[in-house]
Amino acid sequence: MSAPIDSPGNPLERAPTVAVRDAILSADDLAELLAFAVAHETAFKPTGVGDAGASAPGLNAEHRVSRALPPRQFTPSRDRIAAIVAPLLPGILSELGMKAFDIARYEIELVRHNDGDYYRRHIDTHMGPSDEARRAVSLVYYFHAEPKAFTGGALRLYAVNRNDVFVDIEPERNRLVAFASWIPHEVLPISCRSARFIDSRFAINCWVRMTPPTLPKDQS
Ligand SMILES: O=C(O)CCC(=O)C(=O)O
Ligand SMILES: [Fe+2]
């Protein structure tokens, strides 16, 4: 018996693959988006966990502190965001090593992290057999006011089974980051001395939901 010449290692311990795209929006569109967020400041509500993949539904300040705009208030932007993401998706999927799939829908959320906020390690999807249209790809688009008035807030993406193998992505203005929704990740704590809403770390989450595969019929 001979040992493999080049062991591929354990995929669960490998650093995750992340796709990063910069300069996504024009300066005008970016300014409009920031103005939209600022105009809706009072509508942002504390975020919960457990919508997908987290341990328990509801608010959990140990796990996640941030504020999000209720999705119905952000729906006018949904088609515009989908129109930006759709043409980028084939290249992103191939970079992530994922096959093209039937898109059931895009799920979109606008989130603001301010002083002391964070989101601990989690995944964005459910695992195991299911006929729901599950989240397959997570995309996060970052924006903020200039000059940037917060520090921290990197997106840390982990190897599935390791805490000490990770990739940090800076939430650069006008940057889109994409990763498979089952990759564990966290938002590192943010410091924002002014604590003003406009100085927040803003992010648009866009989850691409996959049409579920047809499960084999029970033959018994
Ligand atoms: O804002 C980010 O960088 C990621 C947010 C996140 O992981 C989530 O909302 O599920
Ligand atoms: Fe997430």
Side-chain angles (χ1 to χ4, degrees), residues 64 113 119 122 124 140 142 155 185 187 201 203 205 207:
R64 184 182 194 192
H113 286 80
Y119 194 171
H122 66 280
D124 285 349
V140 191
Y142 300 108
L155 172 66
H185 57 281
V187 178
R201 171 196 189 272
N205 290 322
W207 292 284

Side-chain angles (χ1 to χ4, degrees), residues 64 66 109 111 113 119-120 122-124 135 138 140-142 153-156 169 171 177 179 185-187 201-205 207:
R64 184 182 194 192
S66 56
E109 180 184 54
V111 186
H113 286 80
Y119 194 171
R120 302 267 188 249
H122 66 280
I123 61 171
D124 285 349
R135 293 170 175 172
S138 300
V140 191
Y141 172 78
Y142 300 108
L155 172 66
R156 178 165 288 181
I169 307 287
V177 175
F179 53 94
H185 57 281
E186 76 172 293
V187 178
R201 171 196 189 272
F202 290 102
I204 298 174
N205 290 322
W207 292 284

Side-chain angles (χ1 to χ4, degrees), residues 119-171:
Y119 194 171
R120 302 267 188 249
R121 180 175 164 138
H122 66 280
I123 61 171
D124 285 349
T125 193
H126 295 284
M127 308 300 276
S130 162
D131 55 5
E132 70 164 330
R134 247 193 285 237
R135 293 170 175 172
V137 182
S138 300
L139 300 112
V140 191
Y141 172 78
Y142 300 108
F143 64 101
H144 57 78
E146 289 287 10
K148 182 181 170 197
F150 66 88
T151 55
L155 172 66
R156 178 165 288 181
L157 298 118
Y158 291 94
V160 171
N161 216 16
R162 296 279 293 252
N163 282 328
D164 57 344
V165 178
F166 55 78
V167 176
D168 280 355
I169 307 287
E170 281 305 315

Side-chain angles (χ1 to χ4, degrees), residues 11 14-20 92-98 137-138 157-160 166-167 169 177-183:
R14 222 175 274 153
T17 309
V18 189
V20 178
I92 285 174
L93 290 182
S94 107
E95 199 173 323
L96 297 180
M98 293 171 76
V137 182
S138 300
L157 298 118
Y158 291 94
V160 171
F166 55 78
V167 176
I169 307 287
V177 175
F179 53 94
S181 298
W182 56 86
I183 301 273

